[in-house]
Amino acid sequence: ILIVVGVFYIIFIIVKYNGNENISEAVAFLRENTSEGDDVLVLGNNSRYYLESGRETANRFFYQTPPINVNDELYGEFEKELVTKMPVCVIVPGSKGKTEDDNYKKVLEQFDAWEKEGAYSCVEFDSFYAYMKK
């Protein structure tokens, strides 16, 4: 048990101190614009944002890709949960509008639609963009 705990601690330290600039920029945004109790969803598979920012999501799909792209049933479950538990903040790594034509793109299109409806506002940065619930 001590070895397992030790390994997890070492991994945590490596993740904490070997982050790249893109992650640090998003983490700084999360820390400045959300509270610890806020539901924050990071799209894709960048779990480090949660660890480094001290934020979490109530959505059981905290890690969506590739699972939602290879299994339409998982995509449907994720989409259903997303509609019922709309997060306070959504971080999307990369540039807006640049993605493959897959289920992940459908999720981004949903947030774009919610932005047009006024439920979210979008803030763009060099390495990521964020949807903030109004």
Side-chain angles (χ1 to χ4, degrees):
I1 292 175
L2 289 175
I3 292 172
V4 171
V5 170
V7 169
F8 279 117
Y9 181 73
I10 291 170
I11 290 171
F12 174 76
I13 296 298
I14 291 170
V15 167
K16 184 173 181 177
Y17 294 107
N18 286 333
N20 64 38
E21 206 169 297
N22 296 345
I23 290 174
S24 297
E25 184 179 27
V27 167
F29 176 83
L30 285 172
R31 289 179 179 166
E32 292 170 12
N33 296 284
T34 64
S35 300
E36 285 189 23
D38 289 343
D39 186 0
V40 172
L41 181 64
V42 178
L43 292 181
N45 56 14
N46 294 293
S47 299
R48 292 176 61 184
Y49 288 91
Y50 298 115
L51 296 172
E52 291 182 356
S53 68
R55 304 301 187 260
E56 57 187 43
T57 183
N59 193 311
R60 68 186 175 117
F61 294 95
F62 69 94
Y63 182 99
Q64 309 85 35
T65 57
I68 65 168
N69 286 329
V70 297
N71 186 310
D72 287 336
E73 184 177 328
L74 286 177
Y75 166 70
E77 291 176 23
F78 170 68
E79 189 69 19
K80 186 176 181 180
E81 190 166 335
L82 189 61
V83 171
T84 59
K85 299 177 185 175
M86 295 175 73
V88 170
C89 178
V90 179
I91 298 292
V92 185
S95 300
K96 192 168 183 177
K98 295 183 180 180
T99 186
E100 300 294 320
D101 192 21
D102 53 17
N103 288 336
Y104 183 71
K105 182 177 181 179
K106 292 176 189 175
V107 172
L108 298 177
E109 289 169 347
Q110 177 64 63
F111 278 103
D112 288 339
W114 283 335
E115 180 186 12
K116 288 178 185 173
E117 293 171 5
Y120 282 91
S121 60
C122 185
V123 183
E124 294 184 57
F125 297 89
D126 291 337
S127 61
F128 74 99
Y129 57 104
Y131 292 98
M132 296 294 296
K133 191 174 182 182
K134 291 185 178 181

